Amino acid sequence: MHPSPPVEVDAQALQGELDTLANFSDSPAPSVTRIVFTPTDMAARDYVKQLMREAGLTVREDAAGNIFARWQGSVDRAVATGSHCDAIPHAGKYDGTVGVLGAIAAIRALRNSGFTPQKSIDVIMFTSEEPTRFGIGCSGSRLMGGAIDPQTLEALSDAEGVTFAEARHAAGYTGELQTVELGTDTYDHFVELHIEQGPVLEHEQTNIGIVSAIAAPASLTIEFNGRGGHAGAVLMRDRQDALVPAAILVETAERLALDSASDDSVATVGMLDVHPSAVNSIPRKARLSLDIRDTQLEIRDSIVNHLVEKAQELAAARGLQCEIQHINSDPPVQADAQIMQAIHRAAESEGLSQLTLVSRAYHDALFIARKVPTGMIFVPSRDGISHRPDEYTSSAEIGAGVAVLARTLADLAGSSARERDSGGDSGGQR
Ligand code: HGY
Ligand code: MN
Ligand code: MN
């Protein structure tokens, strides 16, 4: 344990940067839409890289477009922090961005305090944490964590049929995706600062959340295909309506999650495409997305399996075709105890209240944790709202989270000054 230096965070400057970043959007303010590798995303990336360079960091990008900004230490070890800047359609301005711009602000605060790191500190902006364009979340961190085959990712395509490979090449990222995976010794620790996206911290009137675990997300699509036909001329007994079984599945998903033994079970149908989607035409295709999560893998998987069986039953009983595509099915992760203690010490040093909680949202940390001891710091979300334009965390709350991040990074990286003074190893945690 290495006492971390007191830090002064310029929360006002950081708020200005968050507000500027929010202007890079394909939807009108106050909403933010920023989809991976679009011109808006690329302009936002340029702004983030500018802030990284202005903070004295050395910037590089990998073949997937993950951005790394390094504060060089005095030994050949490193720790990392970071999050994402892409945003789902009509979202808010704090999801992910607090963990990227906040990390840059933490570096500035540490530099201004006179701290010099023994281990290098990397600030990472991960590519495409949101599943919006290519259907799977955390593309950049999944690759870094070795959690997806590069060729599988390359072949994923968006609604226009553009593949991940084509989109990243058009954005200027032409290296081999095989080079993205982290070695097990690339980083000693990874810490992500993020808004809670839930109501717990606000409800408990607590400043800082120390994440103990990240819930296990699974997503799949189910498509029913039938004959369709004229809404007036086809009698009910002769129909193969693709939308009715889809509607039954929507209600089934809700009921399975509500009836689950686990309070952490959540099931969401966020997308439902109907074809031909005409008032007087019987749907001949209905395609729904399913997002199922729980902190307990076996409970999550039992809900997924139940829905798959139900879909196949409905299709057979109604003479429909049913196509099921599993997108992802990821295990939960536990946070690293050492990092949790470092966050606890940092929050105490800042005189902040703190509690330990589970993250029900997934984050890049979920995949980095496969290679690196990982922890997360949460700051409150007003009314627990996220993925909405009225997502909000105050400057003061964000500033407190940044101060805790700064102290945690100093604790984990160790100070090269102390190393010089003591002539020995005063390095951070291993
Ligand atoms: O869906 C999630 O949990 C994250 O916000 N992408
Ligand atoms: Mn999100
Ligand atoms: Mn996020």
Side-chain angles (χ1 to χ4, degrees):
M1 168 187 158
H2 301 278
S4 54
V7 289
E8 277 297 311
V9 175
D10 186 344
Q12 198 182 353
L14 173 55
Q15 185 61 57
E17 290 159 3
L18 289 165
D19 294 344
T20 302
L21 183 56
N23 293 329
F24 296 100
S25 169
D26 286 324
S27 58
S31 75
V32 177
T33 300
R34 196 160 48 236
I35 308 302
V36 66
F37 298 146
T38 57
T40 300
D41 179 41
M42 299 315 290
R45 285 165 172 264
D46 288 342
Y47 176 61
V48 171
K49 286 184 277 187
Q50 173 202 321
L51 294 176
M52 288 169 160
R53 292 190 181 101
E54 288 169 356
L57 301 173
T58 309
V59 177
R60 71 175 181 87
E61 298 174 88
D62 70 12
N66 295 305
I67 301 173
F68 303 79
R70 173 156 290 200
W71 186 4
Q72 189 59 44
S74 57
V75 300
D76 187 21
R77 307 288 309 171
V79 298
T81 182
S83 192
H84 65 98
C85 285
D86 60 319
I88 70 168
H90 306 287
K93 68 165 80 167
Y94 299 100
D95 174 5
T97 56
V98 161
V100 179
L101 301 193
I104 300 169
I107 297 287
R108 284 198 293 258
L110 284 171
R111 270 194 197 285
N112 295 341
S113 75
F115 175 83
T116 49
Q118 195 188 40
K119 296 181 184 181
S120 298
I121 301 175
D122 273 2
V123 174
I124 304 172
M125 194 213 83
F126 296 98
T127 275
S128 190
E129 191 270 355
E130 299 294 1
T132 308
R133 183 168 181 185
F134 294 103
I136 192 164
C138 297
S139 304
S141 50
R142 244 180 231 277
L143 279 169
M144 290 169 69
I148 189 167
D149 171 53
Q151 294 319 311
T152 304
L153 179 60
E154 291 281 47
L156 292 182
S157 59
D158 65 11
E160 277 69 51
V162 176
T163 64
F164 185 89
E166 289 161 344
R168 75 177 180 96
H169 280 80
Y173 300 111
T174 54
E176 289 302 315
L177 286 192
Q178 281 74 3
T179 60
V180 171
E181 187 172 352
L182 294 177
T184 47
D185 63 349
T186 309
Y187 295 118
D188 289 345
H189 294 103
F190 172 75
V191 193
E192 180 170 2
L193 171 65
H194 203 286
I195 56 173
E196 180 199 336
Q197 298 179 297
V200 174
L201 288 174
E202 183 182 64
H203 183 261
E204 300 300 323
Q205 296 181 333
T206 301
N207 307 116
I208 297 294
I210 303 177
V211 172
S212 55
I214 302 175
S219 69
L220 60 155
T221 59
I222 296 180
E223 182 175 299
F224 292 101
N225 284 285
R227 251 201 321 263
H230 193 290
V234 180
L235 296 179
M236 294 310 284
R237 64 170 175 268
D238 298 329
R239 292 190 173 202
Q240 288 182 343
D241 185 326
L243 181 52
V244 175
I248 294 170
L249 271 189
V250 173
E251 195 278 335
T252 307
E254 181 191 56
R255 190 164 36 74
L256 287 168
L258 283 171
D259 295 350
S260 166
S262 160
D263 200 26
D264 288 336
S265 296
V266 287
T268 311
V269 176
M271 297 169 76
L272 175 58
D273 297 325
V274 179
H275 180 78
S277 192
V279 66
N280 56 352
S281 175
I282 303 165
R284 51 181 178 273
K285 184 178 93 172
R287 177 187 167 89
L288 56 88
S289 67
L290 274 165
D291 178 313
I292 316 287
R293 311 188 194 191
D294 196 295
T295 47
Q296 301 174 58
L297 202 48
E298 56 290 344
I299 291 184
R300 190 220 40 209
D301 287 348
S302 73
I303 292 176
V304 171
N305 297 336
H306 201 115
L307 285 163
V308 166
E309 283 159 23
K310 181 73 178 174
Q312 288 162 340
E313 245 174 63
L314 287 165
R318 295 163 175 264
L320 292 159
Q321 298 299 315
C322 175
E323 201 183 309
I324 296 168
Q325 192 188 359
H326 293 273
I327 308 288
N328 68 290
S329 173
D330 303 300
V333 293
Q334 302 301 317
D336 176 74
Q338 215 184 320
I339 297 180
M340 290 178 71
Q341 283 152 24
I343 298 169
H344 168 73
R345 288 195 294 271
E348 270 205 334
S349 305
E350 288 292 314
L352 295 167
S353 54
Q354 51 182 293
L355 59 78
T356 299
L357 76 171
V358 164
S359 173
R360 295 198 170 97
Y362 62 72
H363 304 282
D364 291 303
L366 180 67
F367 298 100
I368 300 302
R370 296 193 182 198
K371 296 273 186 175
V372 185
T374 288
M376 288 195 76
I377 301 165
F378 274 177
V379 290
S381 291
R382 184 179 60 188
D383 299 334
I385 288 169
S386 183
H387 282 190
R388 278 178 28 180
D390 51 346
E391 175 182 275
Y392 178 77
T393 301
S394 73
S395 278
E397 290 167 330
I398 295 169
V402 170
V404 171
L405 176 65
R407 284 180 172 269
T408 303
L409 289 172
D411 190 340
L412 298 174
S415 157
S416 61
R418 268 200 293 282
E419 176 209 12
R420 258 199 321 273
D421 299 348
S422 64
D425 168 21
S426 71
Q429 317 267 347
R430 274 222 184 271

